[in-house]
Amino acid sequence: MAIFKGAGVAIITPMKDNLEVNYEKLDEILEEQISGQTDSIIICGTTGESATMSEEEHMKVIRFAVERVNHRIPVIAGTGSNCTATAVQMSKEAAEAGAEGILLVTPYYNKATQNGLIAHYTKVAQEAKVPAILYNVPSRTGCALQPETVAKLVKDTEYIVGIKEASGDISTVAKIMHLCDGKIDMYSGNDDQVVPLLSLGGIGVISVLSNISPTYVHDMVYKYLSGDIEGSREMQLKALPLCDALFCEVNPIPVKAAMNLLGKECGPLRAPLTEIEPQHEAVLKKAMQEFGLL
């Protein structure tokens, strides 16, 4: 059984002005997401600025989210690392804390071989013993999961159940689904490609857009899954300008700016990320206005 179907939010991490995690605001955002029909919370992923968190802080945020959500919807913890031992430890702690699943980005910087990736993911999954979603985003990590590797992991490794596909390559998605005989939970990692991935057998999205429009993304996926393909396609196309604006600078710079434009007071970004450039903020604001958010 899938950890979730529909739209999971790759949730931001709100900060105070002193750059400490703002847990009070995070609590508010979690409640807003649940009331907005988000199907899963993905905590401490790329959008959550996990790369600038200490391991202790990382786990504290995960435990907080699990406790506050309290199994109302699944919480999936981002516990990937470029160090296998670190990924194992954080994944075990997330499982012990009660996370329904883990999201495991490919080891960045090391540029592991495909055999290295198999060994890495097998070790983490066997130790954590909780459903795991692979995360393929080579533009960030410099390390791509090949379809053959994905198929081997899904077929041979207990607990590896899905993949967040953010390569942007639809042919890669199609080949993964073919080699896995469809026996993999496929999630789009790109908000502008949700419907194309659903058409190849995907079951949802791990979404940046859901931070500012959770009900819309949920409805777009469920329209498709319920057979209203035309309605889902129309929603996908309508959202494209906003999707583009949310990536006019590196994620999560624009989405955090968008949350602040909505009055959410989510605070600044941690270095080396910087605040959005004025010209890009104007583009983002216009897209949000045209989408009806402002």
Side-chain angles (χ1 to χ4, degrees), residues 233-246:
R233 183 187 67 81
E234 289 177 359
M235 293 182 76
Q236 174 78 91
L237 295 178
K238 178 184 175 182
L240 285 182
L242 182 54
C243 293
D244 289 345
L246 286 171

Side-chain angles (χ1 to χ4, degrees), residues 266-287:
C266 292
L269 298 126
R270 288 182 174 177
L273 296 182
T274 53
E275 299 305 314
I276 194 168
E277 298 290 336
Q279 68 271 26
H280 293 145
E281 184 176 23
V283 169
L284 176 62
K285 189 172 183 179
K286 181 182 178 183

Side-chain angles (χ1 to χ4, degrees), residues 89-241:
Q89 182 59 36
M90 290 200 300
S91 297
K92 289 173 68 175
E93 289 186 32
E96 290 166 3
E100 280 83 2
I102 52 177
L103 180 69
L104 301 171
V105 70
T106 49
Y108 38 88
Y109 188 77
N110 308 56
K111 299 184 75 171
T113 64
Q114 296 301 300
N115 282 337
L117 291 175
I118 290 169
H120 170 84
Y121 281 119
T122 300
K123 176 72 171 176
V124 175
Q126 287 177 340
E127 292 280 345
K129 294 180 172 57
V130 65
I133 298 173
L134 310 175
Y135 181 13
N136 190 35
V137 58
S139 64
R140 281 189 176 267
T141 64
C143 182
L145 271 165
Q146 297 301 319
E148 294 81 3
T149 301
V150 175
K152 180 172 178 58
L153 284 166
V154 169
K155 291 177 180 179
D156 294 352
T157 309
E158 189 179 6
Y159 295 109
I160 293 179
V161 299
I163 185 167
K164 176 185 177 183
E165 235 303 324
S167 68
D169 187 342
I170 295 298
S171 295
T172 293
V173 174
K175 192 167 185 181
I176 289 171
M177 297 305 284
H178 168 69
L179 292 175
C180 293
D181 298 321
K183 296 181 178 67
I184 183 172
D185 297 334
M186 172 69 71
Y187 301 99
S188 176
N190 297 313
D191 283 305
D192 62 348
Q193 293 184 337
V194 179
V195 170
L197 264 75
L198 292 174
S199 75
L200 290 169
I203 61 171
V205 58
I206 295 176
S207 170
V208 174
L209 176 58
S210 284
N211 279 281
I212 58 173
S213 196
T215 305
Y216 187 95
V217 185
H218 165 88
D219 289 349
M220 178 173 65
V221 175
Y222 271 91
K223 275 183 182 291
Y224 193 99
L225 296 178
S226 65
D228 185 3
I229 294 171
E230 180 63 20
S232 180
R233 183 187 67 81
E234 289 177 359
M235 293 182 76
Q236 174 78 91
L237 295 178
K238 178 184 175 182
L240 285 182

